Structures are given as structure tokens and as C-alpha cells.
């Protein structure tokens, strides 16, 4: 290993040192390239958000991953949770964003993490409140007050907030100006890939990958949550953070949000 070695040469050395790790990295990279087929900018966006959140910074926009279901977005979350651990990542119930009272009860238990993910929408007539979305996104003070008391405390939910959904968000009615202000707080990633049984695809669509259709990998979740998988995903994220500082990560987020990186997905939210 020399100081003037290029990244390509260094990767070649690493492949010889730990071929098992490299094979696992290749498997993870292939899985993510399929999940984020035709929208790989969305994967890099999430890498940038994670890098900033781990620095203790707040991401002022909520990442919304939209899909038709069964395309691997939950697998990404499983890998994120396994990589960061319960100390740094927390799943939460989306219903807390429909009622300020519910949020005030839960908010003290959510503090101290750097990433938060919800994977479902409330059913029935419950609708998300736009003001709660904005407060959670921008880490404004959220009030916690014990029942039957006048003593209150403000909590600031700093970090990266993620939302996975397979249908449009059920928002409360908003005026046009309020809706536009709310949409500025979203980073929407629309997944386009589709996954089907491997044997079915081999028989009916041999050239399926060029159309964004891939074979399911039923062992992928177990792999991402296993020690070898965690080592692979951590290595990929670490390599990204080594080559992207704070300013570069902020640029990736701003370019995605302000320059059409979502390909119009936000307005279809």
C-alpha cells in the first residue's frame, strides 16, 4: 500500500486482503442498485442524510420513499437499523403525526437518536397535520407536558426522519400556500423497480433486468441483519463519508431537492 495509490488500486489490494468482505459489499451494492433502479440518486441522497445525521446535524426535510410495495424499501430500513443499532435508529408509529397530544406523550422516548423511520400510514379518518410535519422536520421545539400539570418542557428532535409508504400521504386539507410550504419539507424518492419470482422471470421474461424487473432474494433481509451484512453496509457508508464531507453532503441534498432530482415525485406526494 502506497500513499499515492488510486482508489482503483486500493480496492484491488483490499479484494486480496478480505475477499469475503468484498463479496458481501458487491452483494449489497447489487441489491441497492436494483432497489433504486432508475433513481440511484435517491440512494446517494440517503447516504448524505445519514452522514449528516451522524454528525449530530438536523436534516430539515423528511425523506419519503414511495413504492408499490415489495420492492425493497423496508430492506433498506432493516439494513439501516442493523447498522446504526437501537441506540441510534428508532422506528416510530406514524399516528403521532396526526395528533399533537399523541406526539407530546411519545416525544421524550424518541430523543437521542440520529435517525427515525416510520413504515405505515394511519387508517380510518386520521389525517397528518401539516404543522406537526414541519416541526418534526425542522427540529422546532415540541412540547411535552405531563397529564394534569402546568409544567412543560420543549424537546428538539434533531436528526434524519424517514417515511416509507405505498400510497399518497393522507394530509389534512391545506390552502395552496400552506401546501407549497409543506412540500418544501419533503425529499421524495419514487422507487420504480419491480420484483418477481426468479423462475417466473426466467420462463416469461428472460431479459427482465433491462426493464427494471428483478428476481426476489428471500435471504436478503437476513443477510443485511447479519454480522457480515452489517460489515458490508458499514463499509459502503464509510467509503461514502470518507469521500464526502459536510459541504458535499449538503450539496447532494440541495441538488436533489431544488434541481429536479426527484423527477417530479414530490408534487405527486
Amino acid at each position: 500500500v502506497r500513499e499515492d495509490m488510486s482508489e482503483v488500486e486500493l480496492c484491488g489490494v483490499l479484494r486480496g486482503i478480505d475477499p469475503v468482505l468484498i463479496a458481501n459489499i458487491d452483494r449489497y451494492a447489487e441489491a441497492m442498485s436494483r432497489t433504486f433502479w432508475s433513481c440511484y440518486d435517491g440512494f446517494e441522497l440517503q447516504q448524505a442524510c445519514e452522514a449528516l445525521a451522524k454528525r449530530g446535524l438536523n436534516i430539515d426535510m423528511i425523506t419519503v420513499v414511495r413504492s408499490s410495495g415489495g420492492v425493497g424499501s423496508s430492506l433498506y430500513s432493516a439494513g439501516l437499523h442493523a447498522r446504526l443499532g437501537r441506540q441510534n435508529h428508532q422506528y416510530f408509529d406514524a399516528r403521532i403525526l396526526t395528533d399533537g397530544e399523541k406526539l407530546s406523550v411519545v416525544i421524550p422516548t424518541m430523543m437521542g437518536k440520529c435517525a427515525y423511520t416510520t413504515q405505515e400510514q394511519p387508517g380510518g379518518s386520521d389525517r397528518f397535520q401539516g404543522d406537526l410535519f414541519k416541526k418534526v422536520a425542522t427540529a422546532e421545539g415540541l412540547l411535552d407536558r405531563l397529564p394534569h400539570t402546568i409544567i412543560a418542557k420543549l424537546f428538539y428532535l434533531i436528526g434524519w426522519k424517514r417515511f416509507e409508504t405505498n400510497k399518497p400521504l393522507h394530509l389534512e386539507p391545506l390552502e395552496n400556500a400552506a401546501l407549497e410550504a409543506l412540500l418544501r419539507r419533503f425529499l421524495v424518492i419514487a422507487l420504480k423497480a419491480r420484483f418477481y419470482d426468479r423462475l417466473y422471470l426466467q420462463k416469461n421474461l428472460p431479459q427482465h433486468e433491462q426493464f427494471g424487473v428483478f428476481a426476489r432474494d428471500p435471504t436478503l433481509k437476513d443477510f443485511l441483519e447479519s454480522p457480515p451484512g452489517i460489515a458490508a453496509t458499514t463499509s459502503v457508508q464509510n467509503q461514502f463519508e470518507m469521500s464526502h464531507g459536510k459541504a458535499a453532503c449538503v450539496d447532494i441534498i440541495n441538488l436533489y431537492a431544488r434541481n429536479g432530482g426527484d423527477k417530479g415525485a414530490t408534487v405527486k406526494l
Side-chain angles (χ1 to χ4, degrees):
V1 178
R2 307 186 309 275
E3 291 185 359
D4 60 344
M5 291 182 68
S6 67
E7 290 186 6
V8 175
E9 292 174 325
L10 184 58
C11 287
V13 173
L14 292 176
R15 286 181 180 273
I17 294 175
D18 194 344
V20 175
L21 174 61
I22 297 302
N24 289 330
I25 290 176
D26 290 344
R27 180 181 180 183
Y28 174 65
E30 181 182 55
M32 293 300 101
S33 67
R34 291 177 172 180
T35 295
F36 294 90
W37 178 82
S38 189
C39 58
Y40 198 74
D41 288 349
F43 178 68
E44 293 183 338
L45 169 71
Q46 295 193 93
Q47 286 185 302
C49 290
E50 180 180 344
L52 293 178
K54 286 159 65 176
R55 288 177 165 87
L57 303 175
N58 184 65
I59 314 303
D60 288 338
M61 291 171 277
I62 297 176
T63 302
V64 179
V65 183
R66 282 198 60 185
S67 69
S68 59
V71 299
S73 60
S74 62
L75 295 179
Y76 178 91
S77 296
L80 177 68
H81 185 73
R83 178 168 66 252
L84 296 180
R86 290 180 296 176
Q87 299 84 357
N88 299 304
H89 177 263
Q90 180 173 330
Y91 289 104
F92 68 95
D93 190 336
R95 286 177 293 183
I96 65 175
L97 297 174
T98 65
D99 187 338
E101 291 297 325
K102 294 178 182 178
L103 182 59
S104 67
V105 172
V106 175
I107 191 66
T109 68
M110 299 177 64
M111 302 305 298
K113 312 295 190 295
C114 68
Y116 305 86
T117 300
T118 184
Q119 296 180 308
E120 60 182 19
Q121 292 202 56
S125 60
D126 290 340
R127 293 175 178 266
F128 292 120
Q129 294 186 16
D131 61 326
L132 294 183
F133 259 117
K134 288 188 287 186
K135 286 183 178 180
V136 168
T138 59
E140 291 184 30
L142 296 167
L143 194 65
D144 166 55
R145 180 169 49 236
L146 295 175
H148 312 297
T149 67
I150 61 173
I151 300 176
K153 182 178 180 180
L154 287 177
F155 289 90
Y156 302 89
L157 196 63
I158 297 173
W160 174 33
K161 299 90 181 182
R162 304 178 62 253
F163 202 116
E164 294 179 0
T165 180
N166 55 13
K167 56 185 178 181
L169 295 183
H170 200 202
L171 295 167
E172 64 178 357
L174 296 170
E175 299 291 338
N176 288 337
L179 179 60
E180 292 177 2
L182 181 60
L183 291 178
R184 289 197 294 268
R185 295 303 171 189
F186 288 110
L187 293 165
V188 181
I189 304 170
L191 301 184
K192 303 175 182 178
R194 298 293 184 270
F195 291 82
Y196 296 94
D197 180 72
R198 177 179 57 84
L199 294 177
Y200 174 84
L201 292 176
Q202 287 179 351
K203 182 178 180 180
N204 296 280
L205 190 62
Q207 305 299 323
H208 53 86
E209 292 194 359
Q210 63 181 305
F211 303 106
V213 181
F214 305 98
R216 292 193 183 102
D217 182 356
T219 65
L220 184 58
K221 185 174 186 295
D222 291 337
F223 165 71
L224 293 174
E225 295 178 336
S226 68
I230 293 172
T233 62
T234 302
S235 297
V236 171
Q237 181 64 26
N238 180 67
Q239 183 177 4
F240 175 86
E241 293 179 16
M242 290 290 290
S243 58
H244 295 78
K246 175 184 174 181
C249 291
V250 171
D251 288 344
I252 289 174
I253 295 173
N254 288 334
L255 286 172
Y256 188 93
R258 313 300 180 199
N259 290 273
D262 64 347
K263 299 179 175 63
T266 299
V267 297
K268 301 176 183 177
L269 187 61

